Amino acid sequence: MAKGWLVWMSLLASLAIAEQPSAPKPIAAPIRPLPWGQLNFLQTTDTHGWLAGHLQEPQYSADWGDYISFAERMREKADAIGVDLLLVDTGDRIEGNGLYDASDPKGKYTSDIFKGQDIDIICPGNHELYQIASGAREYDVTVPNFKGKYIASNLDYIDPKTGEQVPMAQRYRKFTTKNQGIRVLAFGFLFDFTGNANNTVVQPVEETIKEQWFQDAIREKVDLFVVAGHVTLPGREYKAIFRAIRSQNWDTPIQFFGGHSHIRDFHKYDSKAYGLQAGRYMETIGWMSIEGIKKKSGEIEESQSSAGISFERRYIDNNLFGYHYHTGLNATTFPTDHGLNISTSIYKARQALDLDHNFGCAPKDLWMSRAPYPSEDSLYTWLENEVVPDVVVNPERKDVPTLAITNTGAMRFDIFKGAFTRDATYIISPFVSKYRYIKDVPYESAKRVLTIINNAGQVLSTPELDFSQLAPPEQLSIRTSPSPSPPSYQPNNNNLQSPLLSSPNHPHLLPGYTTKDDGGDEGDDTLHTPITFYRVPNVIQSALSLPADHDPDVVDLVFIDFIEPWVLAALRFTGQGYGASDVAVYRNETLTELMAKWIMKNWGKDC
Ligand SMILES: *[C@@H]1O[C@H](CO)[C@@H](O)[C@H](O)[C@H]1NC(C)=O
Ligand SMILES: *[C@@H]1O[C@H](CO)[C@@H](O)[C@H](O)[C@H]1NC(C)=O
Ligand SMILES: *[C@@H]1O[C@H](CO)[C@@H](O)[C@H](O)[C@H]1NC(C)=O
Ligand SMILES: *[C@@H]1O[C@H](CO)[C@@H](O)[C@H](O)[C@H]1NC(C)=O
């Protein structure tokens, strides 16, 4: 009893400065202030369940409770100076972290934690829709949690009781801001996604914008349109929406918020239309400020001069050092009771799920894209050469020559040297994908599948079978990036323990985001040195039990179930007409379970 009380007290003491008790303390770094305007926004996107923050990286170590305190303090500041602050979230809130994935049912804890934040505009991402259960949770739990705020402009739900197709949520939201009286009309879109389970219906954006309700909405007299969406900023969907709104409103400002590709980005559509995208995984909180919005009085529009409006952005590193700096508060004055409460809920959920349980100690860092592939520091080389040949093999087929193909997007994050926890298994590989196979595929065809999927993707890609979906989402930006090097996005993990000795003349910067976007190169709030980024292929291949001295006639072609349509398309391209009925289960365990099994067997527990 007494012991329990002490543990509880020390927990409360450590939570009094918030962030999770095991999170590394933030490190001081040179930081740029936030530009404030008449109307300001905080954006999150692609949080993927990382509501506990990053427990191995100090620059992203604040948790969702700290973000709640931050938003509450920033709202107080906005009220004090008479401007407005709105919060936006653009989807992919789930899948990718033990806090969401390890519970049964998935999301048992995260829904309540997430709803602690008072979000003004929230919309769905593709990840909410892959599974029947997650689509249903969206309709049954998230939409009511954010009643009046959740917008689904192009998404319907099929009610399992009636079989009826109904809007997932309202199509748009019209409201007036509290302090400035700005009239806002907001949409909430999802890109033209086709991989959803059969209980949701995604309407292509290009069709939605022809519908009467949308055509009526863009004719409403408002001071600002906000287009929130799980859509990349330069994507064709946003181009179409931009053109549609501009066709009716030649100078009404439009603020887009994007997501999906996991990068920090800021995009100019015209001098009065900009878009912001706030990265991924609770690393980044996006800040947007607009100054010079003209309020149209009734039906009579005031002078339509385009002078005077300005859009500014910042990418806030999610840590307490920055939160204190931007609010002008300190460890005592910053946290709100509500924020602390949510930090405690996160801690309790992580305990209940035993997320710190150690499966084994990673002997070194293994990188998705901060090391070249192939190389000894590449996560993919490790998977291809060590994990797959050892644990993926089906015992009944173990001596059969086999080619096993895994898509690189099946891995979502780096492995850091040190404890590989239950949490990490979901962080690295949150999917429920399993290996399937086709037996006795002619080797001459099977051996070409890897190359076809990696190289002929652009040629074979269709909207339904987009080969770029197979690599990690961060790589989506490469195709649209004007320069050969994409915006850098990867966090740093070096020198975590070394204090930052910073002086104005000689700052020692940590490697991290150094974003270049349509606004220039001063968007990051925290100054970093850049990180080198390497491209990865769409898929990797492990060859098992191949004879050393000759080519086999036929092989088992093994692949992760997610990529089945692409594998069948590649086989058709080689002249082999296999169909879904030729595909059988190869392993019953998920890739995540197989990886954890390999780690328990091969990495020691004493870190
Ligand atoms: C949707 O898919 C599930 C599982 O794949 C299946 O059981 C169900 O019958 C399908 N429903 C419809 C309406 O097609
Ligand atoms: C925090 O700020 C308050 C008010 O300015 C001040 O009284 C207090 O001493 C500060 N606390 C710390 C830990 O710096
Ligand atoms: C904190 O959480 C408790 C229990 O969940 C709740 O009763 C209380 O109202 C919360 N307080 C705040 C300020 O959110
Ligand atoms: C997978 O599980 C099913 C049902 O339990 C079983 O019939 C089948 O043999 C298993 N397949 C493999 C490859 O383990």
Side-chain angles (χ1 to χ4, degrees):
M1 189 70 192
K3 186 158 173 270
W5 182 79
L6 270 179
V7 170
W8 186 235
M9 283 311 287
S10 68
L11 165 63
L12 288 182
S14 64
L15 284 184
I17 54 160
E19 71 183 23
Q20 290 302 296
S22 64
K25 299 302 148 219
I27 294 170
I31 197 160
R32 298 181 177 106
L34 301 179
W36 282 79
Q38 254 176 306
L39 180 54
N40 308 278
F41 295 89
L42 288 169
Q43 184 203 4
T44 46
T45 189
D46 296 87
T47 48
H48 286 288
W50 287 71
L51 303 180
H54 288 235
L55 302 175
Q56 292 179 293
E57 295 172 285
Q59 64 270 54
Y60 313 122
S61 54
D63 68 20
W64 193 251
D66 300 318
Y67 178 46
I68 289 170
S69 295
F70 182 57
E72 290 176 353
R73 296 304 184 205
M74 294 294 273
R75 279 199 163 107
E76 289 168 9
K77 197 164 163 177
D79 288 348
I81 56 179
V83 299
D84 288 300
L85 175 64
L86 300 174
L87 265 66
V88 178
D89 181 82
T90 49
D92 277 11
R93 291 171 283 277
I94 69 166
E95 297 184 337
N97 189 288
L99 195 60
Y100 173 84
D101 292 277
S103 66
D104 184 15
K106 289 176 186 292
K108 180 175 157 191
Y109 299 100
T110 48
S111 293
D112 277 350
I113 293 167
F114 200 90
K115 88 167 179 202
Q117 185 62 287
D118 184 3
I119 299 173
D120 299 281
I121 299 169
I122 177 169
C123 69
N126 54 310
H127 273 265
E128 278 80 13
L129 312 178
Y130 280 111
Q131 307 296 327
I132 291 191
S134 57
R137 177 177 284 269
E138 205 63 6
Y139 187 78
D140 295 333
V141 179
T142 313
V143 172
N145 279 351
F146 292 94
K147 198 168 168 34
K149 315 288 180 72
Y150 195 114
I151 313 178
S153 297
N154 65 331
L155 180 66
D156 287 347
Y157 180 65
I158 297 177
D159 189 316
K161 286 174 223 96
T162 62
E164 206 187 332
Q165 181 174 336
V166 295
M168 175 65 87
Q170 70 206 82
R171 297 295 190 209
Y172 67 96
R173 169 167 192 226
K174 196 178 162 190
F175 61 99
T176 302
T177 64
K178 178 170 105 180
N179 294 323
Q180 290 270 321
I182 297 165
R183 291 170 308 165
V184 178
L185 194 146
F187 298 105
F189 277 95
L190 173 62
F191 72 94
D192 295 346
F193 174 55
T194 56
N196 50 314
N198 63 10
N199 61 340
T200 53
V201 179
V202 182
Q203 185 181 43
V205 169
E206 295 81 351
E207 285 171 31
T208 302
I209 62 179
K210 291 181 199 147
E211 293 203 331
Q212 196 57 46
W213 72 263
F214 182 85
Q215 289 296 323
D216 292 343
I218 60 177
R219 286 169 174 79
E220 297 249 9
K221 292 285 169 260
V222 292
D223 306 315
L224 175 77
F225 287 96
V226 172
V227 184
H230 197 74
V231 179
T232 57
L233 296 178
R236 65 172 193 275
E237 295 92 342
Y238 269 0
K239 286 196 180 105
I241 294 169
F242 169 71
R243 279 194 303 267
I245 297 177
R246 269 291 168 265
S247 74
Q248 298 305 321
N249 303 274
W250 71 273
D251 85 331
T252 307
I254 312 170
Q255 176 63 50
F256 288 84
F257 289 97
H260 188 53
S261 55
H262 288 190
I263 60 166
R264 294 180 170 189
D265 198 13
F266 181 64
H267 186 76
K268 179 177 181 176
Y269 299 88
D270 69 16
S271 65
K272 290 190 163 190
Y274 285 84
L276 180 74
Q277 183 177 326
R280 61 168 193 183
Y281 301 158
M282 279 291 282
E283 290 168 350
T284 304
I285 306 296
W287 173 260
M288 191 70 225
S289 67
I290 313 178
E291 180 61 36
I293 299 171
K294 292 219 163 41
K295 281 176 264 177
K296 297 168 184 167
S297 48
E299 292 304 302
I300 305 148
E301 299 196 3
E302 285 169 12
S303 137
Q304 292 183 329
S305 141
S306 65
I309 190 156
S310 66
F311 295 77
E312 290 195 77
R313 53 80 182 91
R314 258 318 164 254
Y315 308 103
I316 301 170
D317 276 10
N318 174 40
N319 65 65
L320 282 175
F321 178 80
Y323 285 170
H324 294 166
Y325 175 86
H326 292 307
T327 53
L329 299 170
N330 62 31
T332 319
T333 53
F334 170 77
T336 66
D337 288 347
H338 182 208
L340 291 175
N341 235 11
I342 299 290
S343 293
T344 306
S345 303
I346 295 169
Y347 177 81
K348 287 185 190 163
R350 293 193 82 261
Q351 293 295 104
L353 293 169
D354 198 13
L355 293 183
D356 290 326
H357 176 82
N358 182 15
F359 284 120
C361 301
K364 61 178 178 182
D365 297 332
L366 291 167
W367 303 112
M368 289 172 67
S369 51
R370 285 175 58 179
Y373 166 82
S375 77
E376 62 176 23
D377 294 328
S378 162
L379 179 66
Y380 298 112
T381 300
W382 169 74
L383 190 69
E384 175 182 309
N385 293 345
E386 303 199 46
V387 180
V388 172
D390 189 22
V391 292
V392 173
V393 182
N394 176 336
E396 282 172 26
R397 307 286 298 171
K398 80 175 168 30
D399 298 321
V400 179
T402 299
L403 298 178
I405 297 180
T406 309
N407 66 308
T408 51
M411 299 280 109
R412 302 283 284 193
F413 205 64
D414 307 310
I415 292 178
F416 296 132
K417 180 175 182 191
F420 189 93
T421 60
R422 186 187 312 282
D423 201 11
T425 58
Y426 294 102
I427 286 172
I428 310 303
S429 174
F431 306 113
V432 290
S433 305
K434 298 177 181 178
Y435 282 93
R436 297 167 67 84
Y437 79 125
I438 305 175
K439 62 170 70 158
D440 299 338
V441 177
Y443 180 65
E444 285 307 310
S445 291
K447 75 176 186 191
R448 291 174 59 201
V449 169
L450 174 84
T451 318
I452 292 168
I453 295 180
N454 282 337
N455 301 339
Q458 303 285 19
V459 180
L460 295 180
S461 272
T462 63
E464 288 70 37
L465 213 60
D466 180 352
F467 281 71
S468 68
Q469 275 187 40
L470 301 180
E474 289 79 4
Q475 206 153 279
L476 282 175
S477 60
I478 289 181
R479 291 189 306 168
T480 51
S481 171
S483 64
S485 66
S488 56
Y489 65 87
Q490 281 283 10
N492 165 59
N493 187 43
N494 298 327
N495 309 321
L496 289 193
Q497 305 309 322
S498 53
L500 185 71
L501 306 167
S502 126
S503 77
N505 300 328
H506 196 202
H508 292 252
L509 304 179
L510 289 177
Y513 285 99
T514 52
T515 311
K516 290 191 181 61
D517 58 26
D518 283 1
D521 59 5
E522 302 205 330
D524 301 305
D525 78 330
T526 306
L527 273 57
H528 295 289
T529 55
I531 291 169
T532 312
F533 169 98
Y534 300 90
R535 204 178 203 298
V536 297
N538 291 334
V539 290
I540 57 173
Q541 173 173 286
S542 310
L544 317 171
S545 307
L546 289 196
D549 50 350
H550 65 278
D551 283 352
D553 295 333
V554 295
V555 293
D556 281 353
L557 185 62
V558 174
F559 48 85
I560 201 105
D561 53 14
F562 179 77
I563 68 170
E564 180 173 322
W566 289 269
V567 170
L568 293 178
L571 283 171
R572 275 197 297 281
F573 191 71
T574 70
Q576 300 291 339
Y578 290 104
S581 60
D582 300 307
V583 179
V585 171
Y586 189 73
R587 288 296 304 224
N588 273 329
E589 305 93 325
T590 64
L591 170 57
T592 311
E593 289 159 352
L594 293 169
M595 195 174 68
K597 188 167 146 185
W598 187 93
I599 287 169
M600 281 188 272
K601 200 168 98 182
N602 290 282
W603 285 346
K605 283 235 165 106
D606 191 10
C607 294

